[in-house]
Amino acid sequence: MHLGRTVLLSAPLLAVALLVVTSVAVAFTPPPAAPGLAIDNFPAAHGAKLVVATPAFQNLGDIPLENTTYRGNVFPGLKWTHGPYGTRSFVIIMQDADVKFLGGPLLHWSMYAIPGGVSHLDAGMTAPPPGASFGPNVRGPNHAYMGPHTPPGPKHHYHFEVFALDRDIAVDPTLTYDALAAEMSGHVLASGEVIGLGHADPDARPPVPATPAPAAH
């Protein structure tokens, strides 16, 4: 008798709990990120600017092939000026403005939860600074630096965009770009970028044509 009464009393409570959990999940589903460059989509409050540079190339200069996936995929290094008062963390987003993918520039690399006191990433970096995390790229969440692999033809513009936020973003290895965009929206205090030009490696072997499938008999 006691067991049956327990089940009868628990069923309505379980239904309520499931309803609450479902409602929370729906409420926190991030909207799709707006297409376009992040630096245009997330304007800084009062237009505040960060000065961003890299030791590997000048703004609008050629990205060395060592910093591309043609040769080594070595992170080029990045530095930026200190964020304004109230900066809690930084986000970095790298996009290829000349490749349209899912309606927007190709997302090569990102990093978030960079502590507000950090203002540089060393050349050759392979792991985020303490507290920070790699973010999403075109391949999915939590990916390390993926340098350019520019196809033959005109040079591509790679934007290394840095954002100072007035908030922290909790580290989540499943964080998507949509979720990152939602976390950033309305919280950017200052931003800046350095742009590198990518080109194809002239010594790269041409891609091997795919072998056609045998004809069915």
Side-chain angles (χ1 to χ4, degrees):
M1 293 297 292
H2 290 294
L3 178 60
R5 184 173 179 179
T6 300
V7 172
L8 289 173
L9 288 175
S10 299
L13 294 176
L14 180 60
V16 171
L18 289 173
L19 179 61
V20 170
V21 170
T22 303
S23 299
V24 170
V26 171
F28 284 91
T29 299
L37 289 168
I39 202 159
D40 296 328
N41 292 335
F42 308 114
H46 312 298
K49 299 292 185 182
L50 299 172
V51 178
V52 182
T54 171
F57 54 87
Q58 297 294 317
N59 188 48
L60 294 177
D62 288 342
I63 299 174
L65 288 170
E66 287 71 21
N67 302 127
T68 74
T69 54
Y70 281 111
R71 302 186 197 175
N73 195 42
V74 177
F75 181 70
L78 209 60
K79 61 181 179 179
W80 56 92
T81 49
H82 293 289
Y85 177 79
T87 298
R88 297 286 299 274
S89 68
F90 291 97
V91 171
I92 302 174
I93 294 174
M94 176 188 173
Q95 294 172 298
D96 179 352
D98 298 300
V99 174
K100 301 304 179 186
F101 183 79
L102 298 179
L106 185 70
L107 179 63
H108 264 260
W109 173 70
S110 64
M111 183 182 285
Y112 68 101
I114 303 169
V118 173
S119 59
H120 76 280
L121 299 174
D122 292 333
M125 172 205 68
T126 58
S133 175
F134 289 131
N137 74 356
V138 66
R139 295 175 176 172
N142 197 26
H143 274 270
Y145 173 71
M146 183 180 80
H149 195 89
T150 313
K155 295 179 180 181
H156 286 203
H157 296 73
Y158 295 87
H159 294 246
F160 293 77
E161 306 151 292
V162 182
F163 302 86
L165 306 187
D166 65 1
R167 62 168 302 179
D168 298 309
I169 299 178
V171 172
D172 177 0
T174 67
L175 187 76
T176 63
Y177 185 66
D178 289 345
L180 178 60
E183 295 277 9
M184 293 174 61
S185 183
H187 293 281
V188 178
L189 295 178
S191 63
E193 65 177 350
V194 61
I195 302 171
L197 302 181
H199 61 278
D201 184 349
D203 297 326
R205 294 181 179 179
V208 178
T211 302
H217 296 288

